[in-house]
Amino acid sequence: MRQHQRDGGPTDGDLPEELDAFVGRSAELAGLARALDAARLVTVTGAGGVGKSRLAARAAARHAARDGVRRVELASVRDPQFVDHAVAEALGLTDHTARPPREALLAHLAEGQLLLVLDGFEHLVDACAELVGELLRSVPGLRVLAAGRRPLGVPGERVFPLAPLGEDEAVELFTERAALHAVPVTEDRDVRALCRRLDGIPLAIELAAGRLRALSPGQLLERLEDRFRLLTGGGRDGLPRHRTLRLAIGWSHELCTPRERLLWARLSVFAGRFDLEAVEYVCGGHGLDADDVLDVLTELLAQSVIAREETPAGVRYRMLDTVREYGADWLEATGDATRLRRRHRDWYLGLAIWCELDWFSPRQAEVAARVEAELPNLRCALEHCLTEPEEAHLGQYLGGSLWFCWVGCGRLAEGRHWLEQVVELDSGHDRSRLKALWVLGYVAVLQGDPVAALAALAECREAAERCGDATAVAYAEHRTGCLALVTDDMPRAERLLRSALERYEEIGELNSNVLMGRVELAMTRAFRGDLPGAVRMCEDVRRVCEDHGERWARTYALYVLAYAAWADGDPARARALLGDCLTAAHAFHDLLGSVLAVELLALVTVVEGDAAEAAVLQGAAARMWPSVGLPLFGSAHFNAPHQLCEATARQRLGDERYEECVREGARLVREDAVSRALERPLGAMPSPREPARYATASAQTHEPAASRTRKGGETAG
């Protein structure tokens, strides 16, 4: 379970940046801590902007849970079907199998003791309630802290209503936020009156403080009187705080210039974080020159309408959900919402196409980070395509263009979700649908679902031949060859892969997919006993990858070359190659490639004389396999190295000691398992003859590892 603290999302020591300026709430914090000790599900409720998220995050940071704290931000998740995926992503759970994400979550959490924080679930309350109920029933060590505008309604839930700040705390927050804008403020009568009129709502106070560059507290108070009277919205039967918050946001909105209000409304089409280039394209024009967008955006940033964040993909901006909703209402009122959503769709479709092309380049790692940062907006674009019949072909092309995300960045389950939806649409555009079909087929191959894979690939090939799409024919044939490879039909795999590679050459196709096809063909040759031929092919792939700066497909070639080095009696070279391979696979979150490399490192380690360490690595691999699929694909070829390693280690250690070491490895989380696998064992080196003896028994064994190529095919694009 400690894996949770390493695989993404904030942990005890990685809290949202707004906590650095957490003001007041000491009594509420103590009360929430007591509630968490007494109940397994606590939900902090209150009006938007009242500080629920901050209080929950602070309480979570202080809560003692053996396996740490994981926060799931759901504000940008719009489809209830993706709640399980969002939780799995926050847990750092990579699962390439065809099983539902709920099943993977239950298996992953089964024995742990974790505090799960769910934030921003109001629009997904039914789906969240169902998930939380099942998790709490099935995982005794789990506690859940939720923050939203309403309770989940799950049996046993402890509701913790959060009121606005008291006057003293509100003044403290206002003066602290004013200082951030370099405006000194004293606790005078106007400040206290202003905080009272804002009813102590933290969001309203922060928005007010953002205007201090232009207005004094007294001027703010004077304008507030007029704006409250002007912006009286919402039903009279609603909670007063809800009406007050809208007044506060509406007041801040009215203080903006017309251009600032226009950009605020247009920014509401973004989900999650967004960058400047996207804003300039999507929001520029029609009353807001693209050249002026940066200046207007800067003003909204100064007023705390949006926030700036540093991310692995560069500077990004985000808008609080409540503020976004207010802007969305104004955008609808302008009648321009449909045009803005289409421009948003166009930008992210273009981004996906650029990333697909740039995947085969030295910028591969940058592409992986970029697509990770843009996922909420890419999902939003896909949703738009699914709801607009005339956009169906764009949805198909977008889903297919993201093959490198679904496959190369470990999102097979999500990819299949989108691809299955888009291929059902009647778009009238053969090329777009064919691309989605072969990507769907390959995702199913990797998930171990041969029936679905064959259906999609056969339909793709038949339709491609009918309409004369040579590219789709090549990809469909390639994916079908991959399926034959992982199901041990080597003659058919070799025939199909050779044919696909010839087709690629005829149409001038060269990318990560083509290179993976060559590695996969090398794997079939190795499985059939032609190890020297396999080595020649993979050395050629390695050279091409290095010429183009391609790192991901290169890892597959390194894997086969490492096996050959081991078989030739050079475990030191095999270890060096596998270290490079594992490091790259782990960097891309390629769980399949990582676990195959660990399996092979275990075999190299036992040859080097350290049977105990080899058994530990086998245990670590065993823990990783359930998130990939059937261990070693149920393939005799892929299983041979594992069997050889196990038999040798058992012989040297005895059954009891071997099982003890395996259990030790099974306790390692993925990060620790990878780090340990990359350490050189301390055991004595064997004689050169020993590897050769193993090579005879496992030539086909090692090649299976090439199975990883399976995933490599995923890279294809």
Side-chain angles (χ1 to χ4, degrees):
M1 287 292 300
R2 297 186 192 281
Q3 175 178 352
H4 299 326
Q5 299 184 13
R6 292 182 166 85
D7 292 342
T11 62
D12 299 18
D14 183 15
L15 291 166
E17 63 185 32
E18 58 260 37
L19 291 182
D20 294 339
F22 190 79
V23 175
R25 299 294 198 194
S26 57
E28 292 93 335
L29 189 59
L32 183 54
R34 290 192 296 270
L36 271 175
D37 289 335
R40 293 179 60 209
L41 170 60
V42 179
T43 302
V44 182
T45 61
V50 80
K52 303 180 294 295
S53 298
R54 295 181 186 180
L55 184 68
R58 177 62 72 177
R62 297 186 178 185
H63 184 79
R66 188 191 74 191
D67 295 313
V69 177
R70 303 304 293 172
R71 183 185 182 201
V72 186
E73 174 55 61
L74 294 168
S76 63
V77 178
R78 302 188 180 185
D79 187 343
Q81 297 181 65
F82 269 104
V83 169
D84 291 11
H85 290 289
V87 175
E89 179 176 341
L91 292 177
L93 175 57
T94 303
D95 193 289
H96 291 175
T97 67
R99 63 180 173 175
R102 179 77 55 86
E103 183 180 331
L105 280 172
L106 292 172
H108 190 62
L109 294 170
E111 303 300 328
Q113 294 182 17
L114 175 78
L115 176 62
L116 184 65
V117 181
L118 299 180
D119 194 12
F121 63 82
E122 297 87 359
H123 57 305
L124 303 164
V125 65
D126 292 337
C128 288
E130 180 188 358
L131 173 62
V132 169
E134 184 170 355
L135 289 178
L136 291 174
R137 288 191 299 271
S138 304
V139 185
L142 179 69
R143 289 178 184 271
V144 178
L145 174 58
R149 300 177 194 176
R150 52 180 289 187
L152 283 168
V154 174
E157 179 183 32
R158 176 77 64 89
V159 178
F160 191 91
L162 184 61
L165 292 170
E167 184 173 318
D168 289 343
E169 291 180 332
V171 170
E172 181 184 359
L173 176 62
F174 184 79
T175 56
E176 187 275 338
R177 288 295 189 262
L180 293 180
H181 293 283
V183 179
V185 172
T186 58
E187 297 181 16
D188 60 13
R189 183 177 59 185
D190 286 342
V191 170
R192 286 193 169 272
L194 180 62
C195 290
R196 283 197 301 270
R197 296 300 302 273
L198 294 175
D199 281 353
I201 302 291
L203 174 59
I205 292 168
E206 292 177 7
L207 291 172
R211 297 303 302 173
L212 288 175
R213 290 194 311 161
L215 302 171
S216 69
Q219 290 173 314
L220 286 171
L221 185 62
E222 181 180 350
R223 287 171 176 259
L224 183 63
E225 180 71 27
D226 293 334
R227 293 306 178 261
F228 271 2
R229 214 170 10 246
L230 176 65
L231 297 175
T232 53
R236 298 301 301 172
D237 58 344
L239 291 175
R241 326 193 264 280
H242 291 173
R243 297 197 303 271
T244 302
L245 177 62
R246 180 164 182 81
L247 288 171
I249 298 175
W251 160 74
S252 180
H253 187 267
E254 286 299 306
L255 287 177
C256 289
T257 66
R259 292 195 310 168
E260 291 166 2
R261 290 198 296 269
L262 182 60
L263 182 57
W264 180 343
R266 292 179 178 180
L267 289 174
S268 68
V269 300
F270 291 100
R273 298 174 177 86
F274 46 89
D275 63 13
L276 176 61
E277 290 76 14
V279 175
E280 289 175 331
Y281 177 86
V282 175
C283 301
H286 288 69
L288 181 61
D289 290 343
D291 292 340
D292 296 334
V293 167
L294 176 58
D295 291 338
V296 181
L297 188 73
T298 301
E299 286 302 311
L300 292 180
L301 186 65
Q303 297 174 53
S304 298
V305 174
I306 59 173
R308 179 184 185 275
E309 297 182 350
E310 294 285 348
T311 75
V315 174
R316 291 290 186 276
Y317 304 95
R318 67 178 176 88
M319 180 180 283
L320 295 175
D321 189 48
T322 305
V323 177
R324 178 184 291 109
E325 290 179 5
Y326 190 91
D329 289 343
W330 276 81
L331 183 62
E332 290 292 343
T334 67
D336 203 24
T338 298
R339 185 185 69 86
L340 264 293
R341 292 191 184 103
R342 286 177 177 166
R343 287 190 65 80
H344 177 277
R345 185 272 328 281
D346 290 344
W347 173 262
Y348 286 100
L349 174 60
L351 176 68
I353 294 172
W354 172 83
C355 286
E356 179 187 20
L357 294 173
D358 228 28
W359 181 258
F360 183 56
S361 78
R363 294 175 294 280
Q364 207 168 58
E366 176 187 335
V367 170
R370 181 71 184 271
V371 78
E372 178 76 17
E374 304 292 5
L375 266 176
N377 282 299
L378 290 166
R379 291 165 180 155
C380 186
L382 280 163
E383 287 173 354
H384 177 74
C385 294
L386 288 170
T387 57
E388 297 290 334
E390 66 275 14
E391 312 283 322
H393 67 291
L394 297 177
Q396 291 168 345
Y397 201 78
L398 176 55
S401 295
L402 288 170
W403 61 264
F404 64 93
C405 174
W406 314 138
V407 173
C409 301
R411 296 183 176 277
L412 292 175
E414 177 171 352
R416 186 161 180 179
H417 170 85
W418 291 114
L419 292 163
E420 286 181 336
Q421 291 190 74
V422 298
V423 298
E424 292 301 318
L425 300 175
D426 182 11
S427 67
H429 290 70
D430 291 332
R431 184 183 179 191
S432 297
R433 187 168 184 275
L434 290 175
K435 184 167 188 174
L437 274 172
W438 66 252
V439 176
L440 172 60
Y442 199 67
V443 166
V445 170
L446 298 176
Q447 289 187 315
D449 189 349
V451 174
L454 279 174
L457 294 172
E459 181 180 357
C460 178
R461 177 156 188 170
E462 291 173 6
E465 289 176 339
R466 195 164 50 243
C467 67
D469 190 330
T471 300
V473 171
Y475 278 108
E477 189 168 52
H478 178 178
R479 280 1 186 240
T480 308
C482 294
L483 179 59
L485 171 64
V486 300
T487 54
D488 287 342
D489 189 349
M490 295 306 125
R492 185 166 186 263
E494 181 171 356
R495 174 174 55 81
L496 290 171
L497 289 169
R498 285 191 184 280
S499 176
L501 289 171
E502 290 172 0
R503 293 179 187 275
Y504 286 144
E505 187 172 358
E506 288 174 2
I507 61 178
E509 192 90 341
L510 178 62
N511 52 32
S512 299
N513 180 52
V514 175
L515 295 177
M516 283 312 310
R518 295 177 187 176
V519 175
E520 291 157 356
L521 179 58
M523 294 164 66
T524 65
R525 295 307 308 154
F527 287 149
R528 304 188 77 179
D530 181 13
L531 195 58
V535 169
R536 287 193 298 272
M537 292 181 194
C538 288
E539 287 288 8
D540 181 62
V541 169
R542 184 182 185 180
R543 285 191 295 271
V544 175
C545 286
E546 291 171 352
D547 286 344
H548 289 270
E550 214 284 355
R551 296 172 53 203
W552 191 63
R554 176 176 173 271
T555 63
Y556 292 88
L558 292 177
Y559 181 84
V560 178
L561 293 172
Y563 174 75
W566 167 81
D568 286 342
D570 191 351
R573 174 171 167 74
R575 177 171 295 280
L577 289 164
L578 285 170
D580 192 350
C581 169
L582 178 56
T583 299
H586 187 60
F588 282 112
H589 306 292
D590 181 353
L591 185 54
L592 175 60
S594 298
V595 69
L596 287 170
V598 171
E599 288 275 13
L600 188 51
L601 277 166
L603 180 59
V604 171
T605 301
V606 79
V607 168
E608 290 176 330
D610 195 341
E613 183 66 18
V616 170
L617 294 179
Q618 285 201 311
R623 175 170 178 168
M624 296 167 71
W625 274 114
S627 293
V628 178
L630 184 64
L632 295 159
F633 319 109
S635 161
H637 291 287
F638 285 93
N639 198 41
H642 177 92
Q643 289 179 328
L644 178 59
C645 180
E646 179 179 347
T648 306
R650 282 186 184 275
Q651 182 182 32
R652 295 179 182 176
L653 299 173
D655 290 343
E656 184 175 349
R657 175 63 177 149
Y658 172 80
E659 295 294 347
E660 180 183 341
C661 291
V662 168
R663 287 193 295 272
E664 178 185 348
R667 290 192 289 270
L668 296 173
V669 297
R670 190 193 325 162
E671 197 77 31
D672 290 340
V674 170
S675 296
R676 182 146 182 176
L678 292 173
E679 294 174 359
R680 186 177 182 82
L682 300 177
M685 296 293 289
S687 66
R689 289 180 299 175
E690 192 170 14
R693 187 179 67 223
Y694 287 53
T696 301
S698 101
Q700 293 183 337
T701 289
H702 219 237
E703 276 10 270
S707 109
R708 135 186 217 99
T709 182
R710 208 176 85 155
K711 190 163 190 175
E714 313 174 69
T715 287

